[in-house]
């Protein structure tokens, strides 16, 4: 009697796809919302881009100088600590010998650029920082390289505008809070400024600073009330929460700092005791308000949800609809905290959310790169992070999987299978078998057992139950039992 277990069951090799790339089933397609038009009087995109180029002219000049002077093959000795593919500065010291963190210019290079561009070293450093914040320069680990926006600077108005919006979003980083101020008070003002900017945008004209101060104080009070926690259950006496140092901090100096910082990035003007949004600032605030309105009118309505609930709400949407949800959700919160939330959701037990979190991070783009790179050493996130970085670095999405080792690809296969088992249907799990990199079922089972994924047993049991071939199902069940018992 011969065994019915197939000894060389060939798997059809196909390009592996993340679960999030598969079409989502939708019971009802939402009606298309007509494309919104900016407020009357908003300049044309070409004119807005001209304004943005003027604001970022210094940053573009320094970025071009670095690209021309410091690119590999042009200057083997010259390097910034964030310069492309070089590991030493002109004086021969390692590029890592710097005091300003990753991506900062070394003293020697700042001086060299200042002499070439007829600027002071401090101005060179400031322009370099603006180039990093606007995506004209992209920092990758210990090196930097020209961003795609720099390549498209003269021909793509949309790239220029996106670069300026990135700079606008980072206004509090480009111009840090005044020294000596309570950090928590500064953070409260930064959190409240979107409402101040929205009021300026809706006012469509100059607004007295005292009126903005009243609005800021109201919003900061709301923020403090929202996070106030009262102990649950009966209390022996009146509960008095101690006043925080931030509550004693006058907000007028911080509003003055915020308005001048926003003026420095080109978002508004402040003179004669009044503040007015520039055309660029008005357009940017309108875009963000419009994104929030889109989220509020979306089928899932995810804008006020945390990252995990937002991703669950997007799980049944088609890729384009999900990306629109991601954009609106990201527009409603600071990029840094949004990236942290998404990565925390990716660390959870739900493999589906892991894949969706990295799809949302693709929408974030370059600002998420340092955080994604930092999690590449975490085993559950490593395959996703490597794929994200490969696409971000310019690989064809269809070929990005080639950056994974065989073990990493197998881990990703099991993780995706776990997502299918938890949220998909049996036929989809069977089809997922075809995406394995191993050419035969026995080879796949051997490597799945060796990779040590915590969901291996559940995945194999689900696959055995779903597969219509009794012999293959028996082999998969046997593998699941061996993993469960630790046998061979």
């Amino acid at each position: 009697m011969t065994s019915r277990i197939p000894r060389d069951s060939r798997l059809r090799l196909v390009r592996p796809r993340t679960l999030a790339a598969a079409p989502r089933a939708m019971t009802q397609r939402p009606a298309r919302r007509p494309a919104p038009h900016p407020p009357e009087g908003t300049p044309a995109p070409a004119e807005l881009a001209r304004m943005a180029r003027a604001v970022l002219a210094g940053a573009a000049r320094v970025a071009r100088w670095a690209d021309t002077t410091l690119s590999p093959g042009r200057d083997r000795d010259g390097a910034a600590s964030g310069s492309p593919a070089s590991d030493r500065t002109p004086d021969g010291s390692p590029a890592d010998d710097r005091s300003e963190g990753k991506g900062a210019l070394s003293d020697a290079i700042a001086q060299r650029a200042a002499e070439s561009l007829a600027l002071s070293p401090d101005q060179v450093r400031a322009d370099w920082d603006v180039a990093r914040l606007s995506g004209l320069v992209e920092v990758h680990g210990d090196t930097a390289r020209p961003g795609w926006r720099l390549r498209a600077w003269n021909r793509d108005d949309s790239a220029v505008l996106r670069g300026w919006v990135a700079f606008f979003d980072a206004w509090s980083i480009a111009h840090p809070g005044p020294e000596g101020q309570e950090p928590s008070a500064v953070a409260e003002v930064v959190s409240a400024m979107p409402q101040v900017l929205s009021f300026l945008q809706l006012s469509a004209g100059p607004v007295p600073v005292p009126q903005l101060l009243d609005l800021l104080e109201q919003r900061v009070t709301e923020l403090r009330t929202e996070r106030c926690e009262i102990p649950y259950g009966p209390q022996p006496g009146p509960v008095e929460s101690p006043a925080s140092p931030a509550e004693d901090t006058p907000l007028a100096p911080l509003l003055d700092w915020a308005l001048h910082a926003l003026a420095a990035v080109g978002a508004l003007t402040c003179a004669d005791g009044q503040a007015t949004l520039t055309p660029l600032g008005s357009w940017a605030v309108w875009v963000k308000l419009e994104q929030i309105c889109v989220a509020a009118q979306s089928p899932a309505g995810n804008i006020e949800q945390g990252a995990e609930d937002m991703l669950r709400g997007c799980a049944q949407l088609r890729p384009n609809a999900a990306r629109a949800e991601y954009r609106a959700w990201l527009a409603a919160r600071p990029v840094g905290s949004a990236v942290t939330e998404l990565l925390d959701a990716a660390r959870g037990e739900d493999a589906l959310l892991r894949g969706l979190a990295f799809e949302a991070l693709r929408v974030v783009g370059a600002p998420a790169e340092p955080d994604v790179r930092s999690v590449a050493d975490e085993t559950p996130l490593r395959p996703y992070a490597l794929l994200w970085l490969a696409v971000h670095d310019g690989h064809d999405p269809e070929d990005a999987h080639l950056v994974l080792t065989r073990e990493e690809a197998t881990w990703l296969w099991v993780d995706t299978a776990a997502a299918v088992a938890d949220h998909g249907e049996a036929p989809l799990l069977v089809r997922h078998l075809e995406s394995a990199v191993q050419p035969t079922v026995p080879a796949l089972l051997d490597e799945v057992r060796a990779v040590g994924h915590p969901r291996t047993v559940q995945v194999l049991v689900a696959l055995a139950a779903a597969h219509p071939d009794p012999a293959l199902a028996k082999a998969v069940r046997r593998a699941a039992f061996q993993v469960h018992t630790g046998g061979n």
Side-chain angles (χ1 to χ4, degrees):
M1 183 174 180
T2 59
S3 170
R4 296 177 60 195
I5 299 176
R7 299 189 179 278
D8 191 27
S9 300
R10 295 286 171 179
L11 298 178
R12 179 168 58 87
L13 295 178
V14 297
R15 293 185 184 272
R17 296 189 303 168
T18 60
L19 184 64
R24 307 282 177 197
M26 291 180 61
T27 56
Q28 184 176 1
R29 186 182 298 274
R32 287 188 177 274
R33 187 172 183 266
H37 296 284
E40 185 177 354
T42 301
E47 178 63 15
L48 290 171
R50 185 193 65 77
M51 299 175 185
R53 286 188 178 95
V55 173
L56 299 174
R61 181 166 60 160
V62 170
R64 287 199 187 95
W65 179 88
D67 181 28
T68 302
T69 309
L70 306 177
S71 293
R74 295 176 181 170
D75 190 339
R76 296 294 300 175
D77 296 324
S81 62
S83 64
S86 183
D87 61 357
R88 303 192 73 82
T89 58
D91 59 3
S93 61
D96 284 336
D97 289 348
R98 56 190 181 270
S99 60
E100 300 183 52
K102 291 183 178 179
L105 289 176
S106 67
D107 291 340
I109 289 302
Q111 182 63 40
R112 183 176 171 187
E115 294 171 357
S116 297
L117 301 174
L119 300 171
S120 69
D122 287 343
Q123 185 59 55
V124 169
R125 291 182 186 279
D127 288 340
W128 177 263
D129 288 341
V130 172
R132 292 163 59 195
L133 292 172
S134 58
L136 294 172
V137 172
E138 297 177 357
V139 178
H140 298 266
D142 290 335
T143 62
R145 69 183 185 195
W148 66 271
R149 285 175 185 149
L150 182 64
R151 301 298 191 212
W153 196 246
N154 294 324
R155 56 179 170 78
D156 189 341
D157 289 345
S158 64
V160 174
L161 289 174
R162 284 196 291 270
W164 181 84
V165 169
F167 180 44
F168 165 62
D169 286 339
W171 66 268
S172 62
I173 300 174
H175 301 276
E179 294 183 4
Q181 293 286 356
E182 179 63 31
S184 56
V186 175
E188 289 172 342
V189 170
V190 172
S191 298
M193 283 308 293
Q195 281 69 29
V196 174
L197 291 171
S198 298
F199 181 74
L200 280 168
Q201 200 274 337
L202 294 172
S203 299
V207 177
V209 171
Q211 188 174 354
L212 296 178
L213 180 59
D214 288 341
L215 176 62
L216 177 65
E217 290 174 340
Q218 293 174 22
R219 180 55 185 153
V220 168
T221 299
E222 291 174 358
L223 292 172
R224 291 169 180 170
T225 302
E226 288 171 2
R227 68 168 181 265
C228 178
E229 296 183 0
I230 300 177
Y232 176 77
Q235 303 297 315
V239 177
E240 297 183 2
S241 57
S244 67
E247 295 179 13
D248 296 328
T249 302
L251 296 183
L254 291 178
L255 175 62
D256 183 68
W257 156 70
L259 292 177
H260 283 86
L262 286 162
V265 304
L268 55 80
T269 59
C270 192
D272 300 325
Q274 294 182 319
T276 309
L277 286 179
T278 63
L280 264 179
S282 179
W283 168 79
V285 174
W286 170 79
V287 168
K288 292 183 179 299
L289 289 172
E290 185 61 28
Q291 289 173 332
I292 292 172
C293 290
V294 169
Q297 298 177 14
S298 67
N302 295 299
I303 189 168
E304 295 182 356
Q305 304 294 328
E308 185 171 331
D309 290 334
M310 180 274 293
L311 294 172
R312 292 189 191 280
C314 294
Q316 298 303 317
L317 299 178
R318 290 185 180 275
N320 287 340
R323 280 191 289 272
E325 290 284 324
Y326 302 150
R327 291 189 189 98
W329 185 84
L330 290 164
R333 45 193 40 81
V335 173
S337 61
V339 171
T340 299
E341 274 196 65
L342 289 170
L343 290 174
D344 287 343
R347 291 186 178 96
E349 296 182 358
D350 194 328
L352 176 63
L353 298 191
R354 197 150 30 251
L356 294 177
F358 278 87
E359 290 297 320
L361 288 168
R362 294 190 195 283
V363 176
V364 178
E369 188 267 343
D371 295 275
V372 173
R373 193 173 296 278
S374 71
V375 303
D377 291 334
E378 299 181 28
T379 300
L381 304 185
R382 180 171 177 77
Y384 296 94
L386 293 178
L387 290 175
W388 190 99
L389 292 168
V391 174
H392 177 67
D393 289 344
H395 287 71
D396 188 324
E398 291 293 324
D399 297 327
H401 66 280
L402 297 176
V403 304
L404 301 180
T405 65
R406 184 75 161 246
E407 183 178 9
E408 292 161 352
T410 302
W411 179 284
L412 181 61
W413 185 91
V414 178
D415 209 50
T416 306
V420 175
D422 291 342
H423 301 278
E425 300 176 352
L428 183 58
L429 186 60
V430 174
R431 289 199 298 273
H432 180 60
L433 185 64
E434 299 175 346
S435 69
V437 297
Q438 292 78 8
T440 67
V441 171
L444 170 64
L445 296 179
D446 287 344
E447 294 187 32
V448 164
R449 288 161 54 189
V451 81
H453 193 289
R455 294 290 305 278
T456 298
V457 173
Q458 294 93 324
V459 164
L460 293 178
V461 169
L463 181 59
H467 207 284
D469 185 337
L472 190 147
K474 182 178 179 180
V476 174
R477 278 195 301 272
R478 177 179 296 174
F481 178 77
Q482 291 171 337
V483 174
H484 177 65
T485 60
N488 295 318

